[in-house]
Structures are given as C-alpha cells and as structure tokens.
Amino acid sequence: MSLVGASPAELQAAARELDEAAAWVDASGRDLSNSLGALSWAGAAALAFTDVWSTRHKPALQSTSAYLRDHANRLRQQAQQQLDASSGAGAASSIGKGGAASGGGEPTRPPYGPRPAGNKAWWDSLGDRQAWVEKHHPEWIGNMDGVPADVRDRANRAILDSRIKALAEDIAAQGAGSDSPLMHTFLELTAVREALKCTQSNGQTITDRQLLLLDDSGPIVRAAISCGLANVSEHVSVYTPGMDTTAADLVDKVRDMDKLRSTAQSMNQGSVATVVWLGYQTPNGYDATDLGLAQAGAGPLESFLTGINTSRPDGVHLTALGHSYGSTTTALAIDRLEPGVVDQAVFFGSPGLANADLSAVGGESYFLEARGDGVADAGSVNSASGAAAGGGIGYVLGGPGGAAVGAAVGGALGSATKAEMAEFGGDPAKDARLVHLSSEGSRGHSAYLDPGSVSQTNIAAVITGNPYGIRQG
Amino acid sequence: MSNMIGADIAALRSFAQRATARSQEIDARIAQLQVRIEALPWTGSDREQFLAEWSVHHRSLVDLARDLADAGQRAFRHADDQEHASGGPSGGSGW
C-alpha cells in the first residue's frame, strides 16, 4: 500500500467511513429483501423486479459491501503498521523474493490437454524452473490437473486479482451496464474472492483455503475451492453441487464445506480438506430434466479427481460427493474414472445416476434421501405419477418469491415423466449397489449438510473412512 | 380471497413507498460516498485499483436506484389497478 502523509488516526477514520458505508449497504439490502418478501408471488411478479433483484442487485450489494470492508481492513492494517514502526517494535521488513531460478533455460508450455499423469510428469521435470513458471505463467498451471494443489492455489489467486482489476477497468472504460456480461463475470469473480476469505463464526480469518480452479473464459465463471489443504490432508472430499448453483453461491457452499470439514476433523481420523467443485455449468430449474450439462461436466470432474489423486504420490483418501443434479454429474464422472482414484462416493438428494458404471469406486458408494425431498423423488417418476413428482419439485424450490418458478419446474418434470427421466436411470433408492445412510431428522432437498444433522455426520464419517461413525438408513 | 387481495394491495403500497424512498436515499448517498472515497488517503497504483473497482460498484448502485424507482412506480400503479378491479362493478378477481 502506498500512502503519503496519512497519519494512523486519519487511516483509522477512513476505515471507519468505509465500514459505515458497508453497513449502510448491508442494511439497504436487508430492507429491500424484507420488503420483497412481504409481497405475494403474484404481487412481486407484477413488478418484474424480483428476478433482477435476486440475480443482479442483491449479489452486487453483497459484493460492494465486501469490497468496502476489505479496504477498511487494509487501511486499519496500514495504520497498525505505522504505529508498530514508529514504536520501533517492527522494523520495516524488506520482502526479499528470491530471484527466479533460471537453470536450463525458459520452460515451454506443455502440450495442451494431456492427462493428469502427463501434467505431473511435465511439472516434476521442471525442477528448479517451477518457480519461473509460477511467476511468469500462472495461467499454465492454475487449472492443470496433476499439479499440486498449493501451486494451483498460488497461480489462481494471482490470476484472480489481475482479472478483477482488468475487468473493473474494462467496465469503466466501456461504460458497461450492470446487466452486461462483463459485469456478470466481475460479480462472480468478486464472489470467488469473498469465498476465499470467509471467516469462522468467532470472526477469526480462515487462511487455509485453496483456489484449485478458476476459469472466466466462458459465459460462466468456473471455480473450485478447498477448505483445508488438498495437497497434504489425509482425507480429501470433492463436492459437486447441483442446479442453480453459480460462482456467486460459492460463499455459501464454502461455508457448508467448512462445517463439513469441522465435523469430519472432530472424528479424529486425520486431517481433512473439503473441496467444492463448480467446474461445470449447472442447469437452472427449467432444463434440469436434460442430462446434457451433467455429461458435459463429467469429463472435467473426472480429470479434476484424477488430478488430485495423481498429484499426491503420498496417497490420499479421496471421496466424491454429489448433491442433486451434481450427483448425476458425479456418477457420470465416476463412470469415466480409472479404478483406484476415488475411494468412496456419496450421492444425496439424487434424481438419478444416469445408469453410470460405479465400479471404479474402490470402496462403497453411499446414498441418502431425506423425507420430503422432491428432487430425489423425481427419480421414481417412472413409478409415480408425473403430477406428484412435479408437485414435489415445486415444493422444494418454492423459496421466497420462487413458488411460481418451482411450480413451472414441477410442471416441466411432471410432463417429462418417463421419456426424459429414463435418461437419469432408475430410482437410486432401489439401486442395490448403493449403501443407504440415514438422514433421519432432515427434511427437504437442501438440509443434508446442516451442521450436526445425522446426514452431515454420516457424510463426514464416510470422508474420514470411519465406518463405525456411519448410521445406515 | 378478498382478504388476500387486500393484503397484497397493502404490501404493494408498502413496497412502493420503501422502494421509492430507498431509491432516493441511494441516489443521495452515492454522491456523498463518491466524495469521501475520492478523499481517501490512497496513492499510486493502489489508488487506481481502488477507484477502478469502486467505479464498478458505483455503477451497480446507480442501476439499483433506477430499477428501484421503476419498481416503485409499477407497484403504486398495480396497487391502484387492483383496488379498482376488486372494488369495481364486476367484482374483479385477483392475480
């Protein structure tokens, strides 16, 4: 930070101003959410504002608030550093970055698209030139499956910062509107940055997150974040979420992974890292009956899982977790996996596993279905009436202002019935390959990862390879 | 049913008032914020980056104020329409 002539008191005052502005932004967002929540669905629909609020303005306000607080914290740190320096306690530390090793000439980019084992071989071959690649070409290695997770994290964080800055400048230069693709990408990237620095309930900053995937080259931002260190933890899980999940939801998803990790760590079976993988485009409710996006996501997920495993010659106990449509994607990825990469799989709230071959899973494949989970019930649409399954989906999705959307999706699934749901395979509840785990006490489609629930405890037990902690349903 | 409609109309009016008030408040507050942010003690590239990012957030707030003003106007209008429809000679129906 470069600051000229500002005293610690001035810096602290400026920090307070930014915090105050952030609090105002938060309060405005809450007030508007409450006002909208008081409307009936029909009333809200008449305003044509609910969608634009939830998809654009609300995330934008959250991003603004985070931005203001982030800079307030930086100002406070700067003030503290000045105080420390003037008291003589902390002599200014010069950051001595070692010169990039240059032995053997500049490395060249590896051939595009090799398998993770080939990537690992290339990375290992670089020797002391790895630092040069990290510094000059983070874009080569950030998403390279087979490269160690800590290296990918450093590369992707560097890319993230520079992309946010570049996008902000482009948006300003072009005068791009808040509904422009540039702004959309900007908001998703700032959400990724926010998810990387989520804090625990006691306010302590969590520092052991890793950004294992970052790609904003397409219409959506693809990202994967690990809670815990995926390059050294004994147990690693990779969770693939389902429909209507975007990078803007990563703050919430990472929070779920934090809590899952806490539960798993408390079992004293060794260190745990829980990854949320959003490396594919999830369907929105309207096209959730189409397998296409799950099939498109299966290849990248297979490569990612193989990459985690390949980059860990020390061995890692790896579990694939899939929720909702993400369970279908996970099953299709497992179908492509070499045996021995994934040790276990857990499918929860699953509409179906698309007739995937699960034999590559080294250990067991598990299954959870909570009471009143309409999405999971859709898997049984072949035997149930379409209208009943549709009603179930409508109930599940019927959040604030979403009742009509839910009903529409329910209708779509209801009319899809056998023809479309057949693609998803049979009802996973009747799949003899799966070990059923209890989700006692949970209701609906979105409570499986609630802290302290039977379902979350069971999933954590699988992750840690602790069969004694598992309660069968 | 008529109670539901009455509740909707009241909620619409309440939303309309809050949306309009918030829109005006955001407009006023953005200008103040802009001044304070320009006055922050950043310099050099930090300042450039901070201001470049701020311009994006600034634009989001401007757009929100505009959309809120529009939504507030629509809410007032729909509340009026509903009231006339439900109180009209044909008895009207809800949404």
Coordinates of all heavy atoms in Angstrom, one line a residue, chain B residues 35-70:
Chain B
V35 N -17.6 11.4 -2.9 CA -16.7 12.4 -2.4 C -15.7 11.8 -1.4 O -14.5 12.1 -1.4 CB -17.5 13.5 -1.8 CG1 -16.6 14.5 -1.1 CG2 -18.3 14.2 -2.9
R36 N -16.3 11.0 -0.5 CA -15.5 10.5 0.6 C -14.4 9.5 0.1 O -13.3 9.5 0.6 CB -16.4 9.8 1.7 CG -17.1 10.9 2.5 CD -18.4 10.3 3.1 NE -18.1 9.6 4.3 CZ -19.0 9.0 5.0 NH1 -20.3 9.2 4.7 NH2 -18.7 8.3 6.1
I37 N -14.8 8.8 -0.9 CA -13.9 7.8 -1.5 C -12.8 8.4 -2.2 O -11.6 8.0 -2.1 CB -14.7 6.7 -2.3 CG1 -15.3 5.7 -1.3 CG2 -13.8 6.1 -3.3 CD1 -16.3 4.8 -1.9
E38 N -13.1 9.5 -3.0 CA -12.1 10.2 -3.6 C -11.1 10.8 -2.6 O -9.9 11.0 -2.9 CB -12.7 11.4 -4.5 CG -13.5 11.0 -5.6 CD -12.7 10.5 -6.8 OE1 -11.5 10.6 -6.8 OE2 -13.3 10.0 -7.8
A39 N -11.6 11.1 -1.4 CA -10.7 11.8 -0.4 C -9.9 10.8 0.4 O -9.1 11.2 1.2 CB -11.6 12.6 0.5
L40 N -10.1 9.5 0.2 CA -9.3 8.5 1.0 C -7.8 8.6 0.7 O -7.4 9.0 -0.5 CB -9.8 7.1 0.6 CG -11.2 6.7 1.3 CD1 -11.6 5.4 0.8 CD2 -11.1 6.8 2.8
P41 N -7.0 8.3 1.6 CA -5.6 8.6 1.5 C -4.8 7.6 0.7 O -3.6 7.4 0.9 CB -5.1 8.6 3.0 CG -6.0 7.7 3.7 CD -7.3 7.8 3.0
W42 N -5.4 6.9 -0.3 CA -4.6 6.0 -1.1 C -3.8 6.9 -2.1 O -4.2 8.0 -2.5 CB -5.5 5.1 -2.0 CG -6.5 4.3 -1.3 CD1 -7.8 4.5 -1.2 CD2 -6.2 3.2 -0.5 NE1 -8.4 3.6 -0.4 CE2 -7.5 2.7 0.0 CE3 -5.1 2.5 -0.2 CZ2 -7.6 1.6 0.8 CZ3 -5.2 1.3 0.7 CH2 -6.4 0.9 1.1
T43 N -2.7 6.3 -2.6 CA -1.9 6.9 -3.6 C -1.4 5.9 -4.6 O -1.5 4.7 -4.4 CB -0.6 7.6 -3.1 OG1 0.2 6.6 -2.5 CG2 -1.0 8.7 -2.1
G44 N -1.0 6.3 -5.8 CA -0.3 5.4 -6.7 C -1.2 4.4 -7.3 O -2.4 4.6 -7.4
S45 N -0.7 3.2 -7.5 CA -1.4 2.1 -8.2 C -2.5 1.6 -7.3 O -3.6 1.1 -7.7 CB -0.5 1.0 -8.6 OG 0.1 0.4 -7.4
D46 N -2.3 1.7 -5.9 CA -3.4 1.2 -5.0 C -4.6 2.1 -5.2 O -5.7 1.6 -5.2 CB -2.9 1.3 -3.6 CG -1.8 0.3 -3.3 OD1 -1.9 -0.8 -3.8 OD2 -0.9 0.6 -2.5
R47 N -4.3 3.4 -5.3 CA -5.5 4.3 -5.5 C -6.2 4.0 -6.8 O -7.4 3.9 -6.9 CB -4.9 5.7 -5.5 CG -6.0 6.8 -5.8 CD -5.4 8.2 -5.8 NE -6.5 9.1 -6.0 CZ -7.3 9.6 -5.1 NH1 -7.2 9.1 -3.8 NH2 -8.3 10.4 -5.3
E48 N -5.4 3.8 -7.9 CA -6.0 3.5 -9.2 C -6.9 2.2 -9.1 O -8.0 2.2 -9.6 CB -4.9 3.3 -10.3 CG -4.3 4.6 -10.8 CD -3.1 4.3 -11.6 OE1 -3.0 3.3 -12.3 OE2 -2.2 5.1 -11.5
Q49 N -6.3 1.2 -8.5 CA -7.1 0.0 -8.4 C -8.4 0.1 -7.6 O -9.5 -0.3 -8.0 CB -6.3 -1.2 -7.9 CG -7.1 -2.5 -7.8 CD -6.2 -3.7 -7.6 OE1 -5.0 -3.6 -7.5 NE2 -6.8 -4.9 -7.6
F50 N -8.2 0.8 -6.5 CA -9.3 1.0 -5.6 C -10.4 1.8 -6.3 O -11.6 1.5 -6.3 CB -8.9 1.8 -4.4 CG -10.0 2.1 -3.4 CD1 -10.4 1.1 -2.5 CD2 -10.6 3.3 -3.4 CE1 -11.4 1.4 -1.6 CE2 -11.6 3.6 -2.5 CZ -12.0 2.6 -1.6
L51 N -10.0 2.9 -7.0 CA -11.0 3.7 -7.7 C -11.6 3.0 -8.9 O -12.8 3.1 -9.2 CB -10.4 5.0 -8.2 CG -10.1 6.0 -7.0 CD1 -9.4 7.2 -7.5 CD2 -11.3 6.3 -6.2
A52 N -10.8 2.2 -9.6 CA -11.3 1.4 -10.8 C -12.4 0.4 -10.3 O -13.5 0.3 -10.9 CB -10.2 0.6 -11.5
E53 N -12.1 -0.2 -9.2 CA -13.1 -1.2 -8.7 C -14.4 -0.4 -8.1 O -15.5 -0.8 -8.3 CB -12.6 -2.0 -7.6 CG -11.8 -3.2 -8.1 CD -11.6 -4.3 -7.0 OE1 -12.5 -4.6 -6.3 OE2 -10.4 -4.7 -6.9
W54 N -14.1 0.7 -7.5 CA -15.2 1.5 -7.0 C -16.1 1.9 -8.1 O -17.4 1.9 -7.9 CB -14.7 2.7 -6.2 CG -15.8 3.6 -5.9 CD1 -16.0 4.9 -6.4 CD2 -17.0 3.4 -5.0 NE1 -17.2 5.4 -6.0 CE2 -17.8 4.5 -5.1 CE3 -17.3 2.3 -4.2 CZ2 -19.0 4.6 -4.4 CZ3 -18.6 2.4 -3.5 CH2 -19.4 3.5 -3.7
S55 N -15.6 2.3 -9.2 CA -16.5 2.8 -10.3 C -17.5 1.7 -10.7 O -18.6 2.0 -11.1 CB -15.6 3.2 -11.5 OG -15.1 2.1 -12.1
V56 N -17.1 0.4 -10.6 CA -18.0 -0.7 -10.9 C -19.1 -0.7 -9.9 O -20.3 -0.8 -10.2 CB -17.2 -2.0 -11.0 CG1 -18.2 -3.2 -11.1 CG2 -16.2 -2.0 -12.1
H57 N -18.7 -0.6 -8.6 CA -19.7 -0.7 -7.5 C -20.6 0.5 -7.6 O -21.9 0.5 -7.4 CB -19.1 -0.8 -6.2 CG -18.3 -2.1 -6.0 ND1 -18.9 -3.3 -5.9 CD2 -17.0 -2.3 -6.0 CE1 -18.0 -4.2 -5.8 NE2 -16.8 -3.6 -5.8
H58 N -20.1 1.6 -8.0 CA -20.8 2.9 -8.1 C -21.9 2.7 -9.2 O -23.1 3.0 -8.9 CB -19.8 4.0 -8.5 CG -20.5 5.3 -8.7 ND1 -20.9 5.7 -10.0 CD2 -20.8 6.3 -7.9 CE1 -21.4 6.9 -9.9 NE2 -21.4 7.3 -8.6
R59 N -21.5 2.1 -10.3 CA -22.5 1.9 -11.4 C -23.6 1.0 -10.9 O -24.8 1.2 -11.2 CB -21.8 1.3 -12.6 CG -22.7 1.1 -13.8 CD -21.8 0.6 -14.9 NE -20.8 1.6 -15.3 CZ -21.1 2.7 -16.1 NH1 -22.4 2.8 -16.5 NH2 -20.2 3.6 -16.4
S60 N -23.2 -0.1 -10.2 CA -24.3 -1.0 -9.7 C -25.3 -0.3 -8.8 O -26.5 -0.5 -8.9 CB -23.6 -2.1 -8.8 OG -22.7 -2.8 -9.6
L61 N -24.8 0.6 -8.0 CA -25.7 1.3 -7.1 C -26.6 2.3 -7.9 O -27.8 2.4 -7.6 CB -24.9 2.1 -6.0 CG -24.2 1.3 -5.0 CD1 -23.3 2.1 -4.1 CD2 -25.3 0.6 -4.0
V62 N -26.0 2.9 -8.9 CA -26.8 3.8 -9.7 C -27.9 3.0 -10.4 O -29.1 3.4 -10.4 CB -25.9 4.5 -10.8 CG1 -26.8 5.2 -11.8 CG2 -25.0 5.5 -10.1
D63 N -27.6 1.8 -10.9 CA -28.6 1.0 -11.6 C -29.6 0.5 -10.6 O -30.8 0.4 -11.0 CB -27.9 -0.2 -12.2 CG -27.1 0.1 -13.5 OD1 -27.2 1.3 -13.9 OD2 -26.3 -0.7 -14.0
L64 N -29.2 0.2 -9.4 CA -30.2 -0.3 -8.4 C -31.2 0.8 -8.1 O -32.4 0.6 -8.1 CB -29.5 -0.7 -7.1 CG -30.4 -1.0 -6.0 CD1 -31.4 -2.1 -6.3 CD2 -29.5 -1.5 -4.7
A65 N -30.7 2.1 -8.0 CA -31.6 3.2 -7.7 C -32.6 3.4 -8.8 O -33.8 3.6 -8.5 CB -30.7 4.5 -7.5
R66 N -32.1 3.2 -10.0 CA -33.0 3.4 -11.2 C -34.1 2.3 -11.2 O -35.3 2.6 -11.3 CB -32.2 3.4 -12.5 CG -33.0 3.6 -13.7 CD -32.2 3.0 -14.9 NE -32.0 1.6 -14.7 CZ -30.9 0.9 -15.2 NH1 -30.0 1.5 -15.9 NH2 -30.8 -0.4 -15.0
D67 N -33.6 1.0 -11.0 CA -34.6 -0.1 -11.1 C -35.6 0.0 -9.9 O -36.7 -0.4 -10.1 CB -33.8 -1.4 -11.0 CG -33.1 -1.7 -12.4 OD1 -33.3 -0.9 -13.3 OD2 -32.4 -2.7 -12.4
L68 N -35.1 0.5 -8.8 CA -36.0 0.6 -7.6 C -37.1 1.7 -7.9 O -38.2 1.5 -7.5 CB -35.2 1.0 -6.4 CG -34.6 -0.1 -5.5 CD1 -33.8 0.5 -4.4 CD2 -35.7 -1.0 -5.0
A69 N -36.6 2.8 -8.5 CA -37.6 3.8 -8.8 C -38.7 3.3 -9.7 O -39.9 3.5 -9.5 CB -36.9 5.0 -9.4
D70 N -38.2 2.5 -10.8 CA -39.2 1.9 -11.7 C -40.1 1.0 -11.0 O -41.3 1.0 -11.2 CB -38.4 1.2 -12.8 CG -37.7 2.1 -13.7 OD1 -37.9 3.3 -13.6 OD2 -36.8 1.6 -14.5

